[in-house]
């Protein structure tokens, strides 16, 4: 009850305070037109108060500890100084005296603050840092001003003041300095701010209107800007800064952390790359690529184009490339390789499956039910899904019953195929029957010279035939989870989905594919429904087959949406964390950048290394984000 | 009487002399100690006006956290303290975030003295008040409290003790199969070979899967082996990195463990050692799939409920001392330490209570009740506890802990967290799965040692 009350009270106070601040800000901006000096006085006083509150609130000054009123007087004093200065100075018509006056007020305030600063906070000034930061910031400010077409000197002075603050206080060892050093570190930024303030005198009529307009816009923008700065901008900058410090964020180490990331075998491991040529995936991929080459040559003779979306060359080409890529990932180990593997397989499979379901379910009976079921995993949290799948992948010793669904099926299949009971023969006969049926379908298509219709059953009959041959032990003693021991006896053998490297990565990816397929399906389904029916009817009138309509009409119409889905998926997958954390915590060669980052920073307390990994992840995601945002802006 | 005899035999195998049956009954108190026995009353140190004390730690099971909350809750109520305890499955990383973020709890329970020392040296921890230090010195011997002492300042209050150099087995089944408890390392390996050849059960149960801490059981084995093969001096140098991690001694120990963990020797219910949860061996031992399981005393929690402990019955489980090599009888142990992040009276009062025999006795009683019989899983080597709250088996654990001449704390818990809770675990997993050899694993761990 007490908690409820405090919560309600907090909310009430926050709402009233926000409304009050907003009203007051607008009242202040009313003064822009009416009374310029009063406007300057008010804004100056607010600025001075905030500065004082920041200093005293952080207990930098003498007497700022203890009760409330001990630190209130400094903000009030600064409010009077800054407000008064801001109100009076613009009345001077001569720029030089204005500048001198403003700089003088800045220096006076600096002296006041320095006198009050506790010895424990006096910075041991790093002169070089102060100079470099100030000049560097001034240069950045000047550049910005030129790009934004603003007056150069005031902007440069303001940014230089920020730089001086960082160089004077941020780079210095706090508490080891003396009075003079504190004075310099305080005075340089404040004098620069003064220079900015004194640069201009009273604005004329049009300028006043411009200032008022921008000030009011600023009030509306401020909450969002402050929020983004606190939640996004400052953490990003701080992470980049931390990545140049050592493990405990104490010493600058330059690019050491980045070197450290790349020299670890965990990040970048090429020791198994020699197995590439022995990889079965590579040879399957090579055969598929060869098939697509042959088909491509034929297609070129006929239509003049070797590869075209939807022509027979297309599928073997894509599948072959994927197989070769997966062969490469299975031997190129390490965090970065794993991340790329995740990106490739999840974005490709989720999009393809989502698209296939969206197309096949379109305007069929039970479309809604089917889509709801497939969308359902999106409602499960990543951690929940990982726990579920971990149970499904569980393996047990060969002598035990398998508790994981996958292994129960696999070992069951092994028992079936190596057994000699009635079920074994029933299934075996059914398999043979299915093969024969498929062969008949292929033969009929071939006789009718419908080459396209022969392709699908053709591929299926090869796969099913291979399976049937294995099942009947014509080739390889059977299929499923079993192994033949040295003494000839047959023993159950579970697959350790989570532990068997390197393909455990793919079993982990399955979880995300399972989740994200629903997302891809929903978006693509909406896009397909938005394709104008006129296009499709026109194509039908021209005698296009449904396959041709899909490849030549529907697909090009939804190309942009596919792009959005793929880029969104890529960003999601690059940041994958929960699944790996829950299922392996990066053990068994499944480490990915995000989990590596969290473990390095928070488990091993190597904040520098963790920050470097975070920056790398950020850099990897950045281009995709830029592409995404650009496209969104174009559409807007 | 069978029980007593069993306990005697255990300790006799574990110790070099100086053991009497009376020693079992006084739970860790040697004759010259003047600590009065726990009364079972909740002490009142004063009225703390409802001061808030938060505490967190890795203990989170119903029995462990439940007993802790029950006992400290009663104390807090009697002293008018607003006390909360949070058990955290990912405590090792979350405490770092809390400390770095400036919002640590008032008290944290550290299973790793190495981590405690890190925090103390970085100025995050508050030294114990004089009253608490006095209490620690009254109830704990220096061997235990020393691990909470950083550079001469006492930061940690010992709250729990673990004994690691023991092997769980079923004596009656052993006898029926004609096996004898091994007294030396050679006898142990010979027994393993014998069991593997007989093929009735696999000799050992091993599992190293433990969520985010996967790999730690391997580190315990290596520590026991370093202690046995190379002696305590090398062990101490290894823990402080005076000799590098990839030193011959350590690589040999790692290799010995891996050589022992062959497919013929190990039953792993998950199909392979890396896929098997370390808790899983309890069922397998009792249900007759393996003969032995080397694991600490807290493993009692994972033995199926209702299994008799050391009472001579057919299925009873018991422990024997993990045999040594050089006859010096080293003992590997561990423990947890509570330390303060804030310097207020209520926090210190809770810490003072944690250090006493009253807490240890009450906690053991509560945990045994929650467990509903058998070994509770809790163990405290504090002096002056009421011995009647411990089973004879638990009393013999304490006897070993208190009288061992060579006692060493779990090395991985003393090492910097980067290694002890980081690469030592991950490289262990790689080594056990055959991804790297012992030398490479040791090289990688050495490379990760913070300079």
């Amino acid at each position: 009850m007490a908690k409820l009350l405090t919560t309600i009270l907090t909310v009430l106070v926050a709402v009233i305070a926000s409304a009050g601040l907003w009203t007051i800000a607008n009242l202040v901006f009313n003064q822009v037109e009416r009374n310029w000096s009063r406007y300057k006085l008010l804004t100056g006083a607010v600025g001075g108060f905030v500065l004082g509150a920041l200093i005293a609130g952080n207990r930098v000054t003498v007497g700022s500890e203890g009760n409330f009123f001990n630190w209130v007087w400094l903000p009030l004093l600064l409010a009077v100084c800054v407000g008064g200065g801001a109100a009076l100075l613009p009345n001077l018509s001569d720029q030089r005296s204005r500048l001198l006056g403003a700089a003088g007020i800045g220096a006076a305030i600096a002296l006041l603050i320095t006198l009050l600063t506790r010895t424990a906070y006096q910075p041991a000034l790093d002169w070089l840092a102060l100079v470099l930061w100030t000049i560097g910031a001034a240069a950045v400010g000047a550049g910005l001003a030129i790009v934004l077409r603003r007056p150069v000197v005031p902007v440069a002075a303001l940014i230089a003041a920020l730089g001086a603050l960082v160089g004077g206080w941020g780079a210095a060892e706090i508490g080891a300095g003396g009075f003079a050093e504190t004075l310099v570190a305080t005075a340089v930024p404040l004098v620069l701010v003064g220079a900015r303030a004194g640069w201009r005198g009273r604005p004329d009529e049009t300028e006043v209107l411009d200032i008022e307009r921008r000030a009011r816009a600023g009030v509306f923008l401020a909450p969002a800007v402050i929020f983004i700065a606190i939640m996004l901008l400052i953490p990003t900058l701080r992470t980049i800064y931390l990545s140049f410090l050592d493990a405990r964020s104490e010493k600058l180490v330059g690019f050491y952390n980045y070197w450290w990331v790349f020299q670890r075998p965990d990040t970048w491991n090429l020791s198994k790359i020699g197995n590439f040529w022995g990889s079965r995936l590579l040879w399957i991929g090579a055969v598929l690529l060869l098939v697509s080459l042959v088909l491509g040559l034929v297609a070129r003779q006929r239509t003049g184009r070797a590869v075209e979306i939807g022509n027979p060359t297309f599928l073997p080409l894509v599948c072959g490339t994927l197989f070769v890529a997966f062969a490469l990932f299975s031997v190129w180990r390490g965090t970065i390789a794993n991340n790329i593997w995740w990106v490739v397989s999840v974005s490709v499979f989720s999009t393809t499956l989502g698209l296939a379901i969206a197309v096949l379910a379109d305007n069929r009976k039970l479309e809604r039910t089917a889509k709801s079921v497939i969308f359902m995993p999106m409602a499960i949290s990543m951690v929940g899904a990982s726990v579920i799948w971990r149970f499904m992948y569980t393996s047990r010793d060969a002598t035990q019953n398998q508790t994981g669904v996958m292994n129960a099926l696999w070992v069951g299949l092994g028992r079936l195929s190596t057994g000699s009971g009635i079920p074994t023969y029933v299934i075996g006969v059914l398999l043979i029957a299915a093969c024969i049926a498929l062969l008949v379908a292929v033969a009929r298509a071939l006789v009718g010279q419908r080459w396209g219709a022969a392709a699908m059953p053709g591929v299926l009959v090869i796969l099913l035939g291979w399976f049937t041959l294995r099942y009947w032990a014509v080739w390889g003693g059977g299929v499923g989870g079993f192994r033949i021991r040295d003494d000839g006896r047959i023993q159950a053998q579970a697959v350790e989905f989570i532990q068997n490297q390197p393909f455990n990565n793919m079993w982990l990816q399955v979880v995300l594919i399972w989740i994200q397929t629903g997302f891809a399906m929903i978006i693509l389904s909406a896009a397909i429904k938005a394709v104008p029916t006129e296009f499709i009817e026109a194509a039908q009138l021209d005698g296009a087959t449904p396959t041709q309509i899909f490849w030549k009409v529907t697909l090009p119409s939804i190309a942009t949406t596919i792009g959005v889905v793929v880029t969104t998926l890529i960003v999601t997958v690059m940041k994958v964390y929960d699944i790996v954390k829950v299922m392996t915590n990066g053990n068994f060669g499944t480490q990915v950048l995000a989990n590596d980052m969290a473990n390095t920073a928070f488990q091993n307390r190597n904040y520098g290394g963790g920050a470097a990994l975070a920056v790398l992840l950020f850099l990897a995601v950045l281009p995709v984000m830029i592409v995404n945002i650009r496209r969104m802006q174009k559409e807007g | 009487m069978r029980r007593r005899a069993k306990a005697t035999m255990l300790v006799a195998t574990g110790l070099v002399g100086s053991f009497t049956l009376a020693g079992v009954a006084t739970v860790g108190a040697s004759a010259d100690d003047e600590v009065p026995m726990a009364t079972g009353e909740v002490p009142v140190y004063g009225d703390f006006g409802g001061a808030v004390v938060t505490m967190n730690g890795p203990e989170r099971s119903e029995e462990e956290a439940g007993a802790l909350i029950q006992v400290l809750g009663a104390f807090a109520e009697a002293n008018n303290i607003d006390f909360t305890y949070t058990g955290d499955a990912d405590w090792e990383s979350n405490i770092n975030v809390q400390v770095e973020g400036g919002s640590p709890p008032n008290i944290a329970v550290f299973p790793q003295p190495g981590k405690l020392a890190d925090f103390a040296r970085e100025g995050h921890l508050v030294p114990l008040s004089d009253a608490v230090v006095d209490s620690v010195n009254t109830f704990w011997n220096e061997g235990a409290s020393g691990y909470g002492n950083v550079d001469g300042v006492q930061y940690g209050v010992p709250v729990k003790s673990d004994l690691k150099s023991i092997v769980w087995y079923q004596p009656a089944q052993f006898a029926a199969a004609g096996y004898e408890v091994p007294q030396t390392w050679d006898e142990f390996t010979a027994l393993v070979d014998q069991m593997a050849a007989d093929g009735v059960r696999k000799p050992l149960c091993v599992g190293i899967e433990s969520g985010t801490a996967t790999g730690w059981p391997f580190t315990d084995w290596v520590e026991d082996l370093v202690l046995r093969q190379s002696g305590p001096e090398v062990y101490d140098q290894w823990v402080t990195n005076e000799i590098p991690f990839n030193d011959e001694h350590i690589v040999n120990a790692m290799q010995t463990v891996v050589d022992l963990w062959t497919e013929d020797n190990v039953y792993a219910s998950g199909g392979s050692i890396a896929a098997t949860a370390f808790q899983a061996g309890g069922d397998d031992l009792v249900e007759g799939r393996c003969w032995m399981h080397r694991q600490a005393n807290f493993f009692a929690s994972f033995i199926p409920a209702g299994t008799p402990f050391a009472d001579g019955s057919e299925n009873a489980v018991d422990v024997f001392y993990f045999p040594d090599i050089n006859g010096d009888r080293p003992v590997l142990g561990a423990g947890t330490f509570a330390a303060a992040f804030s310097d207020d009276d209520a926090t210190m009062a809770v810490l003072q209570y944690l250090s006493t025999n009253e807490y240890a006795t009450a906690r053991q009683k509560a945990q045994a009740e929650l467990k509903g019989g058998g070994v509770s899983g809790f163990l405290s080597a504090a002096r002056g506890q009421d011995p009647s709250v411990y089973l004879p088996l638990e009393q013999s654990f304490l006897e070993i802990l208190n009288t061992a001449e060579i006692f060493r704390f779990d090395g991985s818990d003393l090492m910097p967290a980067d290694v002890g809770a980081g690469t030592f675990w991950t490289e262990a997993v790689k080594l056990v799965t055959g991804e790297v050899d012992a030398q490479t694993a040791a090289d990688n761990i050495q490379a990760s040692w913070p300079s």
Side-chain angles (χ1 to χ4, degrees), chain A residues 193-212:
Chain A
V193 172
R196 159 72 180 83
W199 183 255
R200 298 176 61 184
R202 235 170 213 291
D204 61 31
E205 281 297 309
T206 50
E207 279 173 331
V208 162
L209 285 176
D210 191 41
I211 287 171
E212 193 188 346

Side-chain angles (χ1 to χ4, degrees), chain A residues 450-462:
Chain A
R450 286 173 288 129
W451 310 113
M456 198 55 125
V459 173
L460 277 179
V461 82
I462 290 172

